[in-house]
Amino acid sequence: MRYRSRVTAPAAVLIGTATALTVGTTAHARPGTGDDQGTPGSETLGDPVFPALGNDGYRVHSYHLDLAYDATTKLVDATATLKIRTTQALTRFSLDALGLDIRSVRVGGRTAAFEQADEKLRVTPERELPAGARTTVCVEYSADPRRTLAHTAWVPTPDGFAVCPQPNSAHTVFPCNDHPSDKADFSFRITVPNGLRGVAGGLLTCTEPVDGDRTAYSYRSRSPIATELVQITVGDYLVKDRQGPHGLPLRDVVPTARATALEPALALTPGLVEWLEARLGAFPFETYGLLPCNSDDPKAFDFTGLETQTLTLYKPNFLLQEEKKIGSHMMHELVHSYFGNMVSPATWADLWLNEGHADFYGLLYRYERGWADSLGLTTMEARMKDTYARGDQWRHDSGPVAAPNAVNLFDSQRYLGGVLVLYAFRQLVGEDAFHAVERAFLDRFRNASATTEDYIAVASEVTGQDQSGFLRDWLYGTTTPRMPGHPDWTVNKVASSLVAPHRLRGGHHHDNSATL
């Protein structure tokens, strides 16, 4: 199988610079011959954590999602329109899809045969697609957000829904190439009964009445989005606009009945953005804000926050706490706009790049304000000494920092373990060089995906020294290396099995407010 482990340019650039044959109602591909003979596309991108996720043989340029919500039946009727470019001649290709009732599929405007098998939607176009072809795939379907599935992104609420796609569940909401290495442009149209509001990532482009008793809200993102970062929500929401640093538009989407109570937390965002911009550069997207989803039901979602692009999803009750209990977590989620959203992981094994950085800056923000963490510690040095002592145990129980599996993907090793790697690297090269590496990495892979090896390469280039041995020992070693600048730090002996307790775990599938 073939797997492109690194994306060095946004999908739009790749497509815009390709010489391609458009396949549609006016120009049809002829079946390939000789070396161009088509084959079915691979139904995997070979991800080391989720090997069944994603599909090869094409890349997606854009998605347009048109969803209509029925408040009486609680069902969603939808059309997903994908613009794709083939990377090989294809007789058949697949999309990721689970729990969706597919009605029809069209490729290039022509009806295509399809079948659903496990979590794949296999599509056989009327005519073979040659390599380098650009075409449109249109899938009509319906979905029930309350349906019980093996895993799901739907978060049902009393008045609608939100979505939580990370890591591998976007395809329970819309058919897609569900892997962060295939980022694409997104636009949305959400039709809801009057009295409710439909919201999605990006900026509102149009509001229009439909049939007198419904309203359609349209949104478009200016930057590509990984499927795991899509947000679509419907409910009785109030949109609150404010201005951030340098005129950045901030919009929060809050339950109407709790808008006043949530205002103290929402008002923190401008200051958070200003603090982070001083360290990582200008905010990378067209807008930012919070979505305190209209549900605190622990059965609906067992996390505190999720960094869906431009609109971070939260449990409302979490944001009702005082600033010192929520500020570092809000910073954690904001950091994901840079690490995770603007620069996405090329594989799920690269998750530490997202979560290690988010916890790193979240902790710095906390300690600058003198807020004690969950262990009662008030400095980064003290917290890293404590984490360092746990290093061998975590490597024993959860593997190296950059080698997770599907079970331990969101445990402390990817979060605080990732922080420890960054802290060790900063200790080695110094504050100025460390921040130069951070900014260079973000600039180089802006709106694309990057691997752990990409970070190591940038670190070596910017510092002028080969950092591969040092960073690989910290990221892949089975024992914890010596900490630069702290020869007295020691690592605890390994017990036979001691999984990090829940309160010390990070992750969007755990409550990591305690972690910070």
Side-chain angles (χ1 to χ4, degrees), residues 79 81 93 104-112 123 136-140:
T79 300
T81 303
F93 62 91
S104 69
V105 179
R106 297 192 303 278
V107 177
R110 292 177 174 266
T111 299
V123 178
T136 299
V137 180
C138 184
V139 183
E140 296 183 354

Side-chain angles (χ1 to χ4, degrees), residues 5 12 21 47 69 119 138 157 205 209 230 237 282 322 332 341 360 383 392 398 414 484 489:
S5 62
L21 171 65
D47 190 272
Y69 175 70
E119 298 190 25
C138 184
T157 64
T205 59
V230 166
Y237 289 113
E322 59 183 324
H332 173 108
N341 295 17
F360 181 85
R383 187 58 182 268
D392 282 3
S398 297
R414 261 43 72 187
W489 284 12

Side-chain angles (χ1 to χ4, degrees), residues 297-461:
D297 183 359
K299 295 180 180 179
F301 52 100
D302 61 348
F303 58 89
T304 296
L306 178 70
E307 68 274 15
T308 43
Q309 193 159 309
T310 72
L311 191 61
T312 294
L313 181 66
Y314 273 105
K315 283 183 177 179
N317 281 347
F318 173 76
L319 295 175
L320 295 177
Q321 301 177 90
E322 59 183 324
E323 181 182 0
K324 68 180 182 181
K325 294 191 175 185
I326 64 175
S328 60
H329 190 284
M330 291 178 68
M331 179 58 69
H332 173 108
E333 300 300 345
L334 179 62
V335 172
H336 279 312
S337 295
Y338 298 78
F339 290 97
N341 295 17
M342 182 178 77
V343 180
S344 298
T347 78
W348 282 106
D350 302 305
L351 180 75
W352 78 274
L353 285 167
N354 304 15
E355 305 302 346
H357 277 100
D359 261 11
F360 181 85
Y361 290 100
L363 287 169
L364 286 179
Y365 186 78
R366 170 182 287 281
Y367 299 136
E368 277 192 13
R369 277 144 190 77
W371 299 334
D373 60 27
S374 60
L375 303 180
L377 304 174
T378 57
T379 68
M380 179 68 89
E381 183 175 322
R383 187 58 182 268
M384 289 300 95
K385 184 177 182 180
D386 177 86
T387 304
Y388 184 82
R390 305 169 191 266
D392 282 3
Q393 186 69 58
W394 287 1
R395 290 170 190 267
H396 173 272
D397 293 344
S398 297
V401 173
N405 58 43
V407 175
N408 62 33
L409 181 62
F410 290 101
D411 73 6
S412 289
Q413 185 68 309
R414 261 43 72 187
Y415 288 71
L416 285 169
V419 176
L420 192 65
V421 173
L422 297 172
Y423 178 84
F425 180 53
R426 190 181 67 170
Q427 286 287 108
L428 178 72
V429 302
E431 189 87 21
D432 291 344
F434 174 77
H435 285 297
V437 169
E438 297 280 272
R439 291 216 182 191
F441 177 75
L442 291 172
D443 288 343
R444 182 163 303 178
F445 296 99
R446 177 179 298 271
N447 290 334
S449 301
T451 66
T452 297
E453 288 301 314
D454 289 328
Y455 186 84
I456 293 172
V458 171
S460 298
E461 178 183 326

Side-chain angles (χ1 to χ4, degrees), residues 69 71 74 157-161 196 234-237 294:
Y69 175 70
K74 308 293 186 182
T157 64
D159 52 2
F161 63 85
L196 299 180
V234 169
D236 181 10
Y237 289 113
N294 197 16

